[in-house]
Amino acid sequence: MSFLNWNCRGLGNPRVVQFLKEIVFQKKPNVIFLCETISKKEKVEFVKSSLGYEACFVVDAVRHSGGLAMIWKFQHEGRLLTYSTNHIDMVFHLDGYPKFCFTGFYGEPQRSLRSNTWGRIRQLSKESTLPWCLMGDLNNVLSQGDKRGGRPYPGWLVDGFQEVIDECELLDMDLIGHPFTWEKGKGTPNWIEVRLDRALISNAWNSLFLAAKLFNMEVSASDHSPLWLDLAFRKPEKIKCCSTSLAEWGKDITGNFKDRIARCNKELKKLKGRRDDTSVQKYKDTHEQLFEILTQKEVFWRQRSKQLWLQAGDKNTKYFHACANTRKKNNQIVSLKNDNGVWVDWDSGLATVMIDYYTVLFAASDISWERVTNCVQGRVTTEMNHDLVTPIDSEEVKRALFQMHPDKSPGPDGFNPGFY
């Protein structure tokens, strides 16, 4: 189970939507929180459907700023508590997990109104006793180390934010990856990087999800990096293909998008913090290359669903793209219930549960069939059975063959009298 948070800076930008689709395809988050959507509900509903999700709650943008969206996989899993132009607070009950609160938050961008953000966080902390996670663009830092470049962050803002965190007994999750989530002026003497996006959690949440990790996705189509919160983090296991031909299957057709995207992301991460002119230009070139690959991938999957276009005769590209995405999803099993009704994962015996299930399913058992066979009315008489079990002689075979139509033959060479 995982959450995705991103200040997308406008869902009206096709590159933003395309980039969001790629992240969702890779990480498959259960819940997505977007801020600064700069969009109305209709646009968010369209994006939600194209991602393959069932439910969303939208706070419309005001003129050309703001806008929030909480998108989750299945309608029954989420329930709205409160909302404003700066937050969406919900209770989630995902399969296999107890109830918890998740708040998507967008802090006041104006420093003079920052106290409104702090007051809202204080209020939310008192409204529920459930495990709580607050995640989003807080528009504030916790220390001077959260900022690189430019003038020092105002001390009264740092102190005020720290005071709120301490008062609400929240923990700031460590960020894995690049330490900053927002930047401007890249490649110029005024280049500034700041960690404005973060996840704050209660002690109850921390105890409930001990393995949770917060990752900076680093590469972005806006000036903010997406954050991915993996609640059941575990290092992926390498799976070897059974044959080279299977591993290489389809790469000539797809252009091996996965490896090309991975190489671009790796290069972007390596160049992310460098400030020399050569690295900055290379970063920009690689960024353009990444989006060119994503565009090619989008076109490929549209072509892949061409058969569906012909069958249905519908020009609804959103529908066909969703169909193509559904066909290529990776249905990964994360957890299952054992015989005692307890959820187990790969670290706590999931493999054993699967083996035991199929062992019992395909094991032979002593079953009495008399109750079934006694209900079946017999059709073969004793005389018929006697004829059926009588040994076959050559005259019977000859009689059967000569009863066949002249155009029919028992073999490719026709009837062979020498057979007798």
Side-chain angles (χ1 to χ4, degrees):
M1 183 172 68
S2 65
F3 292 76
L4 180 69
N5 164 81
W6 189 26
N7 183 330
C8 61
R9 298 300 299 274
L11 288 176
N13 185 346
R15 297 182 71 182
V16 167
V17 177
Q18 185 182 39
F19 184 77
L20 178 61
K21 289 180 180 180
E22 181 64 28
I23 296 179
V24 170
F25 173 71
Q26 290 179 3
K27 300 302 181 183
K28 298 176 176 58
N30 300 77
V31 181
I32 304 168
F33 173 68
L34 303 174
C35 58
E36 284 203 90
T37 60
I38 316 179
S39 302
K40 299 294 184 181
K41 182 177 180 180
E42 292 75 15
K43 177 62 178 179
V44 179
E45 290 276 1
F46 175 83
V47 173
K48 176 209 71 175
S49 299
S50 67
L51 294 174
Y53 285 63
E54 283 187 3
C56 72
F57 181 82
V58 181
V59 178
D60 286 343
V62 179
R63 296 185 181 88
H64 298 290
S65 64
L68 309 176
M70 188 78 77
I71 303 172
W72 62 100
K73 194 68 178 178
F74 301 109
Q75 180 73 52
H76 69 276
E77 293 181 335
R79 177 171 59 88
L80 178 69
L81 294 178
T82 63
Y83 71 93
S84 70
T85 55
N86 294 92
H87 86 284
I88 299 176
D89 187 31
M90 298 192 63
V91 170
F92 285 101
H93 192 191
L94 306 183
D95 196 16
Y97 293 88
K99 290 182 180 180
F100 57 85
C101 285
F102 178 79
T103 304
F105 206 95
Y106 177 55
E108 285 284 354
Q110 297 184 40
R111 291 179 176 179
S112 60
L113 300 177
R114 202 64 53 81
S115 59
N116 295 344
T117 294
W118 303 337
R120 182 74 66 183
I121 294 175
R122 287 189 175 99
Q123 180 184 354
L124 289 169
S125 69
K126 299 175 183 177
E127 291 180 351
S128 176
T129 58
L130 292 174
W132 182 37
C133 174
L134 183 147
M135 191 176 181
D137 175 9
L138 278 297
N139 267 320
N140 218 126
V141 302
L142 279 173
S143 69
Q144 296 296 341
D146 284 344
K147 184 174 186 289
R148 181 167 69 179
R151 290 180 289 184
Y153 211 78
W156 67 274
L157 289 175
V158 176
D159 295 339
F161 193 29
Q162 288 179 343
E163 183 179 337
V164 173
I165 302 303
D166 294 339
E167 182 180 329
C168 298
E169 298 182 347
L170 295 174
L171 304 173
D172 181 36
M173 290 194 69
D174 293 333
L175 185 62
I176 299 175
H178 193 64
F180 308 107
T181 63
W182 174 85
E183 67 179 2
K184 73 172 183 177
K186 186 176 180 67
T188 70
N190 299 321
W191 187 3
I192 299 175
E193 294 180 285
V194 190
R195 182 185 176 187
L196 298 178
D197 308 81
R198 61 184 70 243
L200 304 174
I201 58 175
S202 65
N203 288 306
W205 173 284
N206 190 42
S207 300
L208 183 61
F209 301 106
L210 293 174
K213 300 290 183 183
L214 181 65
F215 296 88
N216 185 352
M217 303 299 291
E218 302 184 22
V219 181
S220 178
S222 86
D223 54 1
H224 283 259
S225 301
L227 299 186
W228 180 53
L229 176 56
D230 186 0
L231 301 186
F233 174 74
R234 62 192 300 271
K235 292 183 178 180
E237 299 178 3
K238 293 184 177 179
I239 302 176
K240 295 182 179 179
C241 290
C242 58
S243 68
T244 303
S245 59
L246 180 61
E248 297 297 323
W249 181 83
K251 288 184 178 179
D252 292 338
I253 301 174
T254 65
N256 206 354
F257 292 124
K258 184 177 180 181
D259 288 346
R260 292 164 63 193
I261 293 172
R263 284 197 297 269
C264 286
N265 284 331
K266 183 177 180 181
E267 185 69 15
L268 289 172
K269 289 179 181 180
K270 182 174 67 174
L271 298 169
K272 179 74 175 177
R274 298 183 183 179
R275 293 176 170 252
D276 59 280
D277 294 341
T278 302
S279 297
V280 170
Q281 185 58 47
K282 190 173 182 181
Y283 181 92
K284 293 179 180 179
D285 294 341
T286 307
H287 204 274
E288 289 297 324
Q289 182 183 356
L290 172 62
F291 281 103
E292 183 180 345
I293 296 172
L294 293 178
T295 301
Q296 293 173 357
K297 184 176 180 181
E298 182 86 5
V299 172
F300 167 77
W301 284 109
R302 286 178 180 172
Q303 294 174 342
R304 178 77 177 270
S305 61
K306 182 178 180 181
Q307 183 178 359
L308 297 177
W309 299 348
L310 297 175
Q311 290 176 351
D314 194 331
K315 295 182 180 180
N316 188 342
T317 56
K318 176 184 70 173
Y319 166 76
F320 292 119
H321 184 65
C323 290
N325 276 339
T326 301
R327 293 173 61 198
K328 63 189 176 74
K329 279 184 179 178
N330 177 20
N331 297 320
Q332 182 180 8
I333 297 176
V334 177
S335 60
L336 292 173
K337 283 185 180 180
N338 60 19
D339 293 337
N340 298 322
V342 178
W343 286 94
V344 295
D345 55 24
W346 291 106
D347 295 325
S348 56
L350 177 57
T352 303
V353 171
M354 297 174 72
I355 294 173
D356 291 346
Y357 172 80
Y358 285 104
T359 299
V360 174
L361 181 64
F362 294 109
S365 56
D366 295 330
I367 299 176
S368 175
W369 294 99
E370 284 77 6
R371 293 180 60 188
V372 177
T373 56
N374 290 339
C375 297
V376 179
Q377 184 178 358
R379 293 293 184 182
V380 180
T381 63
T382 303
E383 293 76 12
M384 293 168 61
N385 188 63
H386 179 268
D387 292 339
L388 290 171
V389 299
T390 300
I392 299 173
D393 56 24
S394 58
E395 287 299 321
E396 182 180 0
V397 174
K398 181 179 179 181
R399 193 164 52 250
L401 288 174
F402 278 96
Q403 288 175 352
M404 295 175 63
H405 191 276
D407 290 339
K408 307 295 182 181
S409 64
D413 296 329
F415 174 68
N416 184 2
F419 174 79
Y420 300 97

